[in-house]
């Protein structure tokens, strides 16, 4: 989903709780990684790996000048022969420490083995964010939750687009004075003329 489609989606969602909720969650994510200088780990479930969100966050990190937003995608089936950005396995969660942020994206309750690793990372001091289930052990563990329950107006993929776009936008400090509209227009033009995202 490109910047134009995200803007159109936001227009459609104006007046709903989704815009505020995704911006708040994105602000928490950005604040956590920026304040600690990076260290964003992104993990899904064995059936649902958020590689698309990882790609969008890499793009937003570059476009917004906030390298801390670029995540390390932690994969369940990672192999040493995979490209470097796809070769990080679950063992990376065991090394998570204070100052790192762990974002778990799951359409439902993750398996017990993943929950155990996530819980260990939290105990080691990592900040835990959850995107997906509304109830269960994962949201109970998380410091911040953006629930996307079954039957929501938006699906999990769409919410991830809103979060990644908001995380990049929020990285830009709001300017005051007469140039504010011109600056926003310039930012939009930059987004629209940027090269297409890299395929993962």
């Amino acid at each position: 989903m490109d910047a134009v489609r995200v803007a159109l989606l936001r227009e459609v969602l104006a007046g709903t709780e989704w815009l505020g909720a995704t911006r708040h969650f994105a602000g928490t994510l950005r604040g956590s990684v920026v304040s600690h200088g990076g260290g964003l780990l992104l993990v899904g479930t064995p059936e649902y790996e958020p590689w698309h969100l990882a790609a969008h966050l890499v793009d937003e990190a570059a476009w917004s000048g906030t390298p801390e937003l670029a995540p390390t995608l932690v994969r369940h089936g990672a192999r040493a022969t995979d490209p470097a950005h796809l070769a990080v396995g679950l063992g990376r969660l065991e090394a998570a420490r204070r100052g790192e942020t762990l974002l778990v994206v799951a359409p439902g309750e993750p398996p017990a083995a993943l929950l155990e690793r996530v819980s260990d990372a939290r105990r080691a001091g990592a900040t835990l964010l959850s995107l997906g289930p509304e109830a269960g052990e994962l949201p109970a563990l998380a410091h911040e939750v953006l629930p996307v329950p079954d039957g929501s107006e938006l699906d999990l993929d769409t919410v991830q687009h809103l979060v990644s776009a908001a995380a990049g936008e929020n990285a830009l400090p709001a300017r005051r004075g007469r140039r504010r509209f011109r600056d926003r227009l310039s930012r939009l033009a930059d987004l629209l003329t940027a090269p297409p995202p890299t395929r993962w």
Side-chain angles (χ1 to χ4, degrees), residues 13-119:
L13 294 173
T16 70
E17 295 181 5
W18 283 110
L19 290 185
T22 53
R23 283 189 167 129
H24 173 78
F25 188 82
T28 301
L29 171 63
R30 186 195 71 255
S32 179
V33 297
V34 169
S35 65
H36 292 109
L40 175 57
L41 303 175
L42 177 62
V43 68
T45 66
E47 298 78 24
Y48 188 92
E49 290 192 330
W51 60 268
H52 202 69
L53 176 59
H56 280 293
L57 285 171
V58 166
D59 290 340
E60 291 296 338
W63 293 337
S64 67
T66 311
E68 299 90 347
L69 281 174
T72 297
L73 179 62
V74 178
R75 300 181 61 230
H76 292 263
R79 297 169 300 199
T81 57
D82 290 335
H85 66 287
L86 298 175
V88 179
L90 291 176
R92 179 62 180 86
L93 298 183
E94 296 170 7
R97 294 292 177 259
R98 182 172 307 283
E100 293 186 303
T101 302
L102 173 57
L103 172 55
V104 181
V105 180
E109 183 74 359
L114 177 59
L115 285 170
E116 185 177 338
R117 290 175 189 256
V118 166
S119 179

